[in-house]
Amino acid sequence: MAIRRTDPTRAIAELQDRVNRLFEEIRGRSSGTDLDEGRSGGWNPPVDLVEHDRGYVLRADLPGVDPAELRIEVEGDVLMLRGERRPEARLSSEAYLREERPRGRFEVKLSLPPSVDPAGIRASQRAGVLEVDLPSRRAAEVDPIRVEVESTEA
C-alpha cells in the first residue's frame, strides 16, 4: 500500500479553485451565458492539474481552439488561461440540427504554489489538448550556518 502525503495548503487551494469555478459558472448562467446557449459564450474547459517530480503539469481539453486564440499569463501567483473557440464561419446558425459543443470566450484561473518558477513555464498544444508545464524552482544549495549559543548566566 502506497503512502500518500497530504498537503493542507494544496487541499485549500484546490477547494478555492472549485468554489471559484462554481461561482463563475453560476454568474455565467445568471448573465445569460449558459452552456446550453452555446452561441453566447462563457464556458470552462475541463482542466487537470498533475504533480510530478519536477513540478506540475496543467492539461486543458481545447479541441477546435486555435493556438493563436490562447493567452497564458502569470499575474502574481495566479496563472490565467484565456481563449476563444470561434464558430465555424462557413455554417449559419440555422444549419445546426443539434448544437452541444460550447463556443465563445473562456477563462481559467489557477493559484500557483510558491514553488512554481514562472520564468520556466512552457506550453504546447497537440491533438486538442493544451499542456502547460509548471516547473518548480530549483532549491538553492546553501552552506549550513552554525549559530553559537551564548551563556547568559551570571
Side-chain angles (χ1 to χ4, degrees):
M1 183 159 119
I3 297 176
R4 184 162 192 193
R5 69 174 197 259
T6 58
D7 180 4
T9 306
R10 185 169 123 190
I12 290 171
E14 288 173 3
L15 178 62
Q16 179 183 8
D17 288 338
R18 287 181 186 167
V19 170
N20 287 344
R21 192 174 297 161
L22 178 64
F23 277 115
E24 288 172 12
E25 194 174 306
I26 291 169
R27 184 182 51 177
R29 287 185 182 155
S30 67
S31 65
T33 59
D34 197 347
L35 289 180
D36 295 336
E37 298 265 340
R39 290 176 214 86
S40 55
W43 63 284
N44 290 318
V47 174
D48 291 336
L49 183 62
V50 180
E51 183 177 13
H52 58 78
D53 58 337
R54 296 176 323 277
Y56 304 88
V57 174
L58 175 126
R59 291 186 185 101
D61 289 343
L62 298 171
V65 177
D66 184 350
E69 296 291 331
L70 294 173
R71 286 185 54 190
I72 302 171
E73 298 175 337
V74 177
E75 291 183 13
D77 64 345
V78 176
L79 176 94
M80 287 189 286
L81 168 61
R82 295 183 180 116
E84 184 172 1
R85 181 185 290 147
R86 297 187 184 273
E88 294 183 48
R90 58 190 168 121
L91 295 175
S92 68
S93 60
E94 293 82 26
Y96 285 91
L97 301 176
R98 183 172 181 147
E99 187 177 6
E100 294 182 359
R101 297 184 309 148
R103 61 180 183 224
R105 295 176 190 218
F106 61 87
E107 181 176 280
V108 175
K109 292 182 180 180
L110 176 73
S111 297
L112 296 176
S115 62
V116 170
D117 178 11
I121 296 175
R122 301 287 179 260
S124 62
Q125 187 174 10
R126 188 182 70 171
V129 178
L130 174 70
E131 191 167 290
V132 182
D133 185 40
L134 305 162
S136 293
R137 299 177 199 266
R138 294 183 187 210
E141 292 184 24
V142 179
D143 293 327
I145 299 172
R146 181 175 172 99
V147 178
E148 297 293 329
V149 178
E150 296 179 23
S151 175
T152 57
E153 293 181 25

